[in-house]
Amino acid sequence: MRPLALAIVAAAVVSAAPGRSQEAVSKLEGEAPGAVQRVDRATALKLGAARGPGVATAAAALPGGTQAKEVAHATLVLPPRLSIGAGRRFGPDAGFEVQLGAMLDIPLGPVGSARANTAAAHLASVSADVKRARLDGALAAGVAWSRALEARGILKLRATSEVHAKTIHDLAKIRVKSGAGQPVEGALAAAEVGLAGAQTLDAEGLLVDALAQLRLAIAVPTGDPIEVAGETCNADEPLVEEKAALAAARDQNPTLVLARARAASSRTEVKLVSATLTPTLGVGVTFLRGSLGEQVWLGTVSFPLPFADPAAFERARALGLADVAEAEVKRVEAQLEKDVHVAVHDQKHTREVRDKLGSDAIVPAREALRLARIQFESGTEVVTLVLLSRQRLIAIEEQHVHACGEVVRADLRLLRLMGRLP
C-alpha cells in the first residue's frame, strides 16, 4: 500500500511542474497581453544592426564626410585679400593719397583634387566603420538573444527541479513517518528543497541580467517588457569550410575592410598636406590716387623662391600615421586568419559537445534517476541515491542548454568574421 501512495503523491506533484516553470519565466519576462515585444533571432539581428549602441556613434561622422566631399572642389582654395592704404603727402606736392590693392594666392599644388580624393577616402572609411558597427551591433544582439534563451531554459529546468525536489521531500516524509525511512532522509530531502529554491532564484537573476543586456543591444527602454522567442537547439547554420570562410573574411570582414579604408585615407592625407602647403603664386592689382589727382593702376605677380619646403614637417607626420595604418592592416589580417581558424573549429566543436551531452549523457542520467526513484518508492533504496541522480541530471541538462547556446554563438561569430550578418 505504501508504494502505491508514494507513487500517487509523486505523480500529482510532478504533473504541476511545467506550469510552475512557465509561470516563473512569464513573471520574469514581464508578460502582459498586447504589451510584450517578442524578440526572435531575426528580430534581434535586425534591431541590433539598425540601432545597436555603437551604430549611432559610427554614423555620426557621415554628414560631415558627405559635406566635405561636396565642398572639396571649391573654386577658391585660399581667400582673396584686399588691402587699403591712405595718408597725406607732405612737401611741394602735398595732398591726400589713397591706395587700393587686391591679391589672390593660387596654390601651385593640386589642392582641389587632393581634397576630393581625401574626402572620398574619408567617406569610404566612415561608411566602412558604420558597416562594422552594424555587424557588431547585430552580433551583440544575437549573442544577447541566445543568452536570454539560455537563461530562460535554465530557469525552466530549475523551476521544474524545485517541484521535483518537493516531491522527493514529500515521499521522504511519508517514508520517515511510516518507519520505512530514517530521519536523516527527511533532513537531506528538505535541504535539497532549499538548494533547489536558491538555484531557481539564481536563475531568475540570470534571466533578468540577460534580458537587460538584450534590451540594451536592441535599444529597448529598460522598463519595456520583452519576451525572447525561438530555439537555440536544432537551429544550426550550415557548416563552413575554413578555406571558404577565410576567403570570405579577407573580402568582407568589417574590421579588415575598415583597416584598409583607414590606410587608404591616411595616404590621401599625405597628398593633401603636400598640396595644401605647397608655395603659392600671387596675382593682384593695385590702384593708386596721388595727391595731385593722378591715378595709377599696377598689376602684381609674386613668385615663391625655392629655398624651403613648407610641407616637409607636416608631410613627415602624415607619412608616419599612414605607415601605422598600413601596418595595422597587416596586423588585422594576421589576427583574422587566427580568428577564422578558431571560429571554424568552434562551429564544429560546439556541435560535438552538444550532441555528446544529448545522446550520451542526458539519456542515461534520466534513466538513472528513474530507476533510483523506483527503488526509493518501493522502499529498497534510501533517498541519497535519488538526490545524487537528480543533481547529476540537473547539471547535465543545464550543460546541454548552455551547449546549445554555444552553438548559436559560434555560428554568429563566424558569420560576423565573414561579414555576412544582416
Side-chain angles (χ1 to χ4, degrees):
M1 184 66 181
R2 283 198 302 269
L4 177 61
L6 295 175
I8 292 174
V9 171
V13 181
V14 170
S15 65
R20 168 67 178 85
S21 62
Q22 184 59 48
E23 178 184 354
V25 173
S26 300
K27 179 181 177 182
L28 265 292
E29 290 186 331
E31 289 187 356
V36 180
Q37 180 176 354
R38 291 177 59 85
V39 181
D40 57 14
R41 181 181 184 273
T43 301
L45 295 177
K46 180 180 179 181
L47 294 179
R51 57 193 194 190
V55 176
T57 302
L62 281 174
T66 302
Q67 184 179 5
K69 187 176 180 179
E70 292 174 351
V71 302
H73 284 294
T75 304
L76 295 179
V77 175
L78 297 173
R81 294 177 285 113
L82 180 66
S83 62
I84 302 176
R88 183 174 180 81
R89 181 189 293 269
F90 297 92
D93 299 328
F96 187 76
E97 292 189 352
V98 176
Q99 179 176 316
L100 301 176
M103 178 66 72
L104 176 63
D105 293 318
I106 303 174
L108 296 179
V111 178
S113 61
R115 282 183 173 180
N117 293 337
T118 300
H122 173 69
L123 190 57
S125 175
V126 172
S127 299
D129 193 31
V130 171
K131 182 180 179 182
R132 189 269 319 156
R134 291 188 185 280
L135 285 167
D136 285 349
L139 175 62
V143 169
W145 167 81
S146 72
R147 294 197 185 281
L149 273 180
E150 181 181 325
R152 187 182 71 174
I154 290 176
L155 176 57
K156 286 183 178 180
L157 287 175
R158 292 185 181 179
T160 302
S161 171
E162 185 180 355
V163 176
H164 290 169
K166 292 177 181 178
T167 302
I168 295 172
H169 183 221
D170 291 340
L171 296 175
K173 287 193 296 184
I174 293 174
R175 281 172 54 88
V176 173
K177 187 175 182 179
S178 65
Q182 298 295 321
V184 67
E185 295 185 45
L188 283 174
E192 190 73 6
V193 173
L195 175 61
Q199 290 176 332
T200 300
L201 290 174
D202 181 64
E204 290 178 354
L206 293 176
L207 182 56
V208 169
D209 290 343
L211 290 175
Q213 187 62 40
L214 179 58
R215 288 188 182 93
L216 176 63
I218 62 176
V220 170
T222 303
D224 289 3
I226 62 174
E227 176 188 356
V228 286
E231 295 291 337
T232 55
C233 289
N234 303 319
D236 301 358
E237 292 286 335
L239 291 174
V240 183
E241 293 299 325
E242 183 172 346
K243 184 177 180 181
L246 187 57
R250 285 172 175 166
D251 182 51
Q252 301 180 44
N253 178 263
T255 305
L256 181 57
V257 171
L258 176 59
R260 289 169 177 165
R262 285 178 172 170
S265 179
S266 296
R267 285 299 170 190
T268 61
E269 289 285 348
V270 175
K271 295 180 180 179
L272 178 62
V273 166
S274 297
T276 302
L277 296 180
T278 53
T280 59
L281 175 68
V283 179
V285 62
T286 301
F287 168 75
L288 173 64
R289 182 186 181 283
S291 59
L292 301 179
E294 69 277 16
Q295 298 182 6
V296 180
W297 289 86
L298 298 173
T300 304
V301 178
S302 64
F303 299 92
L305 297 177
F307 298 143
D309 183 4
F313 176 74
E314 294 297 336
R315 182 170 56 246
R317 294 181 62 215
L319 277 171
L321 295 176
D323 290 340
V324 170
E326 291 187 350
E328 176 67 9
V329 173
K330 300 297 183 182
R331 188 199 67 80
V332 172
E333 288 176 344
Q335 180 72 33
L336 180 61
E337 186 172 349
K338 186 273 292 184
D339 290 345
V340 169
H341 174 75
V342 173
V344 170
H345 171 268
D346 285 350
Q347 194 185 36
K348 298 176 182 178
H349 182 72
T350 52
R351 284 163 170 75
E352 293 172 351
V353 173
R354 179 199 61 190
D355 297 342
K356 190 73 172 177
L357 287 168
S359 61
D360 295 354
I362 288 182
V363 174
R366 286 174 178 170
E367 178 65 9
L369 178 59
R370 186 186 72 83
L371 295 174
R373 287 193 58 163
I374 291 175
Q375 293 175 339
F376 174 63
E377 292 168 5
S378 64
T380 61
E381 186 58 72
V382 295
V383 75
T384 307
L385 183 61
V386 178
L387 297 181
L388 177 62
S389 301
R390 174 185 169 279
Q391 292 170 358
R392 198 62 186 153
L393 176 59
I394 292 171
I396 293 173
E397 287 180 332
E398 289 190 10
Q399 287 182 28
H400 184 255
V401 170
H402 176 68
C404 289
E406 285 295 288
V407 171
V408 172
R409 291 186 282 274
D411 288 344
L412 291 174
R413 292 186 183 105
L414 180 57
L415 288 173
R416 190 270 179 194
L417 287 172
M418 298 165 61
R420 293 182 179 176
L421 282 175

